[in-house]
Amino acid sequence: MSQVDTARPAGPGLDELVPSRYALKVGEIDVLLISDGVLPIAPQTLATNAAEADLAAWLGDMFLSPELIDWPLNVAVVRSGGRTILVDSGLGTEFPGFPRAGRLATRLDAAGIDPASVTDVVLTHLHMDHIGGLLVEGLRGRLRTDLRVHLASAEAEFWTAPDFSRTAMPDPVPDVLRTTAARFLDLYRGRLRPFETEYEVAPGVLIRRTGGHTPGHSVVRLESGGERLTFAGDAVFQCGFDKPDWHNGFDHDPELSTRVRTGLLTELASTGGQLVASHLPFPSVCRVATAGNAFRFVPAVWDH
């Protein structure tokens, strides 16, 4: 895979000291990964079933704070077959407790991408850090009227009456998730294109339901010219390589999430396909290797 200028700016883009976008090709498919920023999170949320000493040891090995860590938030723009597809939309700007996230609209502009050029949105799931960008006027008011929004039917159904009984989220997150998802469904219901198991959005762009993290959680598979890349959404977190059996507090079915994560990482280690995910360090492009009963994150070399 090599770098490609996915953006087609009408004028000069915004210079950034720290790059917030990274472009690559998967065969004939153009991909632009965009950082929506970072979210502060208590590390205990990443491993609700881990012993305190084990989590402390992992955090120390990763040079991460035991008090609060930055959780990256990544989205993608994919171009294939004449369609421009936004994969997730970040947090948006309506949550003052997260001032360093919600950058998508600004960074689309910096990349020279007109929101009106987006033909499709693919949502891995309806947590607020994946749909919030679509709710703010900086983006929502600029989208085309015939936009198609793809998500699993099970996801839309779940959020009509969500069950948080198996999660371990800090307050007031469950209530915010519930109200944000309800607002999203109310605003976008006429544009939804729900699918049951999988759906090909554009040539070589397949969205497939996995469940686990949420009932309709999905991953996006890109395949072209013998090359493959998987956008894993929230199926894989940073600790999931070393500790694939650790439960995330946002998982609605922790045991199924573990099976999904382990199966996905095992598959990628076998096939050599590339991986990106919502909450891996930007730009998150990596391959997966096995390491005994666990896995290794093998980052791609940036292609400038």
Side-chain angles (χ1 to χ4, degrees):
M1 296 184 186
S2 60
Q3 186 181 15
V4 60
D5 184 7
T6 307
R8 300 183 177 93
L14 303 176
D15 289 332
E16 295 181 301
L17 180 62
V18 178
S20 64
R21 61 186 186 272
Y22 182 74
L24 53 87
K25 286 184 74 72
V26 180
E28 296 302 313
I29 301 174
D30 292 336
V31 182
L32 186 69
L33 299 167
I34 300 176
S35 169
D36 190 60
V38 295
L39 305 166
I41 189 171
Q44 292 75 19
T45 307
L46 301 179
T48 60
N49 64 328
E52 184 176 343
D54 291 341
L55 176 58
W58 183 83
L59 291 168
D61 288 344
M62 299 298 290
F63 299 93
L64 295 172
S65 166
E67 305 298 329
L68 202 66
I69 62 175
D70 284 337
W71 214 15
L73 183 52
N74 308 313
V75 302
V77 176
V78 176
R79 286 193 173 107
S80 177
R83 307 201 73 82
T84 298
I85 304 155
L86 178 65
V87 181
D88 286 343
S89 71
L91 182 72
T93 55
E94 297 185 348
F95 304 99
F98 303 106
R100 292 188 294 149
R103 310 293 178 85
L104 178 62
T106 299
R107 288 174 173 173
L108 286 175
D109 288 339
I113 297 175
D114 183 355
S117 70
V118 174
T119 59
D120 299 81
V121 173
V122 166
L123 296 173
T124 60
H125 60 299
L126 296 187
H127 279 165
M128 66 187 192
D129 53 326
H130 299 260
I131 62 173
L134 293 172
L135 298 177
V136 297
E137 283 304 322
L139 187 58
R140 180 165 67 93
R142 301 165 65 191
L143 296 170
R144 56 200 294 161
T145 58
D146 62 346
L147 180 75
R148 305 187 307 182
V149 180
H150 307 272
L151 80 166
S153 300
E155 189 70 5
E157 293 166 5
F158 171 76
W159 287 99
T160 60
D163 177 6
F164 298 107
S165 61
R166 303 191 64 196
T167 64
M169 306 179 202
D171 290 331
V173 172
D175 286 340
V176 177
L177 290 178
R178 182 184 294 106
T179 57
T180 304
R183 182 180 170 211
F184 172 82
L185 290 171
D186 182 58
L187 288 171
Y188 283 91
R189 193 171 301 279
R191 302 185 185 189
L192 297 184
R193 299 295 184 270
F195 66 92
E196 295 302 320
T197 304
E198 62 182 30
Y199 180 75
E200 188 174 32
V201 180
V205 182
L206 185 75
I207 180 171
R208 180 172 66 83
R209 175 177 171 261
T210 64
H213 184 66
T214 61
H217 180 275
S218 302
V219 300
V220 183
R221 306 276 199 167
L222 308 181
E223 183 170 359
S224 173
E227 297 183 341
R228 298 183 179 90
L229 182 144
T230 297
F231 186 98
D234 283 13
V236 181
F237 302 101
Q238 190 171 356
C239 59
F241 296 89
D242 301 322
K243 307 291 184 180
D245 59 341
W246 281 2
H247 295 167
N248 187 284
F250 290 86
D251 288 339
H252 290 253
D253 187 334
E255 290 79 16
L256 178 56
S257 292
T258 297
R259 295 195 297 274
V260 168
R261 177 167 45 256
T262 302
L264 178 62
L265 293 175
T266 300
E267 174 196 338
L268 292 172
S270 174
T271 63
Q274 294 216 63
L275 168 70
V276 297
S278 302
H279 300 296
L280 296 181
F282 180 78
S284 85
V285 185
C286 68
R287 297 190 192 275
V288 181
T290 55
N293 294 325
F295 303 91
R296 286 193 301 115
F297 174 97
V298 184
V301 177
W302 277 57
D303 185 358
H304 293 280

